[in-house]
Amino acid sequence: MIFATLLELQMGPQDSLVTELTSSAIFLGILKVMFIIAALLYVIFSFVVVRQIALMRQTVVTSLSSFLQIIGYIHLIFALLVVVIFFLVL
Amino acid sequence: MPDIFDSTQLESEETKNNPSKEEVLTAVKEKRAKSHEKKSTRKAVEEYSEVMSEMDAETSPWAAFAAKPRWTAFSTQAPDEQILLLLRKHPLTQVSWVVLAIIIAIIPIIFSGIPFLDFLPATYHFAAILGWYMLLSGYVIESFLTWYFNVYIITDERIIDVDFLSLIYQNISAAKIDNIEDVTATKGGALRSVFDFGTVQVQTAAEKTEFEFEDVPHPSQVTKLLNELMLEEEREKIEGRVN
């Protein structure tokens, strides 16, 4: 609250220009693309994690291995869901 | 008649090169009998190892010091090879990333009162927070996997160092107990002394000359076990029980 009040007090004509610029469709469009690209890169990462868990559980077999594999798949599904959410919400 | 035309000799040579079914079966039976003999001459680890006789089989899959771990195996394990000890880094060495993960998790809550993203619509706020926690989940999973699967294994025949240094880099080194030349345990610092963990260095005559079991629990017990195994290997050689 204190920070918000301070920011409001400091706002001048330059700040309103910044607000206009950032709320413009082009800026938000670029930001949306950036969010989606980042999420897609994360999907690749989580896919690599799934492959890595598969390789690890082949190398060292424990009673927890299958549980970890499930965690890997849940993580991948979560990453895919985030891409879908970014597409729909932004 | 010259030798070259002697058909009986040709037949006997053929038999020598291509053994009959019965011969193959006999050879397999002999091999099995030899293997069974080897198994029966091998002593149970509790008979010669004080460390192993004092410990019960570990059932927890999380343990950093797992003696005779149940439901555990590794890719290059021989059928009659028994895992005696499975070691991971002491859980205390993992505190740093756990604390960092907790800090990362609470950052959005702490900064929720500060409107530094207020110039963006609410949906972008939501996306930023979602992305933040997604990155956090990746960090936690990766850190845990690195700890969980980077293991040191001591079997009745070998020592194995399994390293997953990054997402795609895997390194498995092994050395036979016979090849071990020197074992040293190092415990430096107050934390290591209080919680009894440290580094065990194993010098070998194998291709990889040094194995380092970094920050493992009870390093003196590990050293003791390795010494007992080395002694047993020596005894096996003397008594002619070598595989």
Side-chain angles (χ1 to χ4, degrees):
Chain A
M1 274 301 285
I2 300 162
F3 282 105
T5 323
L6 281 172
L7 273 173
E8 274 168 27
L9 285 172
Q10 284 170 354
M11 269 182 84
Q14 288 166 330
D15 297 309
S16 62
L17 187 72
V18 172
T19 318
E20 259 179 49
L21 204 73
T22 52
S23 59
S24 72
I26 299 165
F27 175 76
L28 291 180
I30 292 168
L31 208 61
K32 180 181 176 175
V33 170
M34 281 168 72
F35 266 105
I36 290 167
I37 289 172
L40 285 171
L41 286 173
Y42 194 82
V43 168
I44 297 169
F45 164 76
S46 44
F47 182 74
V48 173
V49 169
V50 168
R51 294 294 307 138
Q52 187 197 16
I53 295 172
L55 180 77
M56 284 170 159
R57 62 181 287 214
Q58 270 173 19
T59 311
V60 182
V61 184
T62 68
S63 55
L64 209 68
S65 300
S66 39
F67 171 73
L68 290 173
Q69 190 72 73
I70 293 165
I71 294 285
Y73 281 119
I74 290 171
H75 182 235
L76 177 63
I77 292 164
F78 172 59
L80 286 167
L81 268 177
V82 167
V83 175
V84 174
I85 289 168
F86 282 3
F87 260 115
L88 296 175
V89 171
L90 299 178
Chain B
M1 192 186 276
D3 279 354
I4 198 162
F5 296 113
D6 189 354
S7 63
T8 49
Q9 195 184 349
L10 192 71
E11 204 173 286
S12 69
E13 268 174 21
E14 260 179 24
T15 331
K16 209 186 277 177
N17 292 336
N18 305 315
S20 67
K21 203 177 172 183
E22 282 116 36
E23 278 175 327
V24 173
L25 279 173
T26 325
V28 168
K29 272 180 191 170
E30 271 173 21
K31 207 174 176 185
R32 276 187 189 164
K34 264 186 188 174
S35 153
H36 183 72
E37 204 177 304
K38 267 181 210 169
K39 274 185 194 173
S40 58
T41 52
R42 186 180 286 176
K43 281 187 202 170
V45 70
E46 288 81 5
E47 284 177 40
Y48 59 85
S49 168
E50 204 181 306
V51 178
M52 283 293 112
S53 61
E54 285 167 1
M55 284 173 192
D56 296 322
E58 182 64 60
T59 49
S60 165
W62 310 94
F65 185 93
K68 293 171 272 178
R70 285 199 184 152
W71 311 296
T72 306
F74 60 97
S75 58
T76 55
Q77 189 172 0
D80 56 342
E81 195 173 11
Q82 189 196 353
I83 300 178
L84 303 181
L85 200 59
L86 184 133
L87 300 159
R88 291 187 180 92
K89 282 189 176 178
H90 194 282
L92 267 180
T93 60
Q94 306 303 304
V95 168
S96 57
W97 71 258
V98 174
V99 170
L100 188 64
I102 292 167
I103 292 169
I104 293 171
I106 58 174
I107 279 176
I109 301 160
I110 294 169
F111 287 93
S112 60
I114 302 165
F116 62 88
L117 281 178
D118 267 14
F119 60 91
L120 289 172
T123 49
Y124 283 80
H125 281 208
F126 170 69
I129 290 169
L130 198 63
W132 182 268
Y133 284 110
M134 186 173 72
L135 288 175
L136 174 65
S137 67
Y139 173 66
V140 170
I141 289 174
E142 203 45 47
S143 304
F144 177 78
L145 288 176
T146 308
W147 172 73
Y148 191 75
F149 284 104
N150 277 313
V151 291
Y152 312 107
I153 300 167
I154 300 174
T155 73
D156 50 355
E157 291 292 327
R158 298 183 290 167
I159 54 168
I160 297 115
D161 180 3
V162 182
D163 281 328
F164 291 96
L165 299 177
S166 67
L167 277 175
I168 43 167
Y169 184 78
Q170 176 198 18
N171 179 34
I172 305 168
S173 317
K176 284 192 130 195
I177 300 286
D178 319 12
N179 288 331
I180 296 176
E181 290 181 339
D182 183 45
V183 185
T184 322
T186 319
K187 237 194 299 184
L191 203 68
R192 283 177 174 79
S193 297
V194 171
F195 293 97
D196 190 21
F197 68 96
T199 301
V200 178
Q201 281 169 315
V202 184
Q203 295 281 340
T204 69
E207 201 171 318
K208 188 184 174 185
T209 52
E210 191 176 296
F211 285 74
E212 203 170 75
F213 297 176
E214 216 179 317
D215 290 330
V216 292
H218 318 302
S220 50
Q221 297 270 64
V222 178
T223 313
K224 195 176 172 186
L225 173 68
L226 284 171
N227 283 324
E228 286 170 343
L229 290 172
M230 282 156 72
L231 275 174
E232 178 57 20
E233 284 295 321
E234 287 293 316
R235 248 179 256 135
E236 274 186 6
K237 272 184 198 169
I238 294 164
E239 291 169 16
R241 292 186 282 121
V242 185
N243 299 336

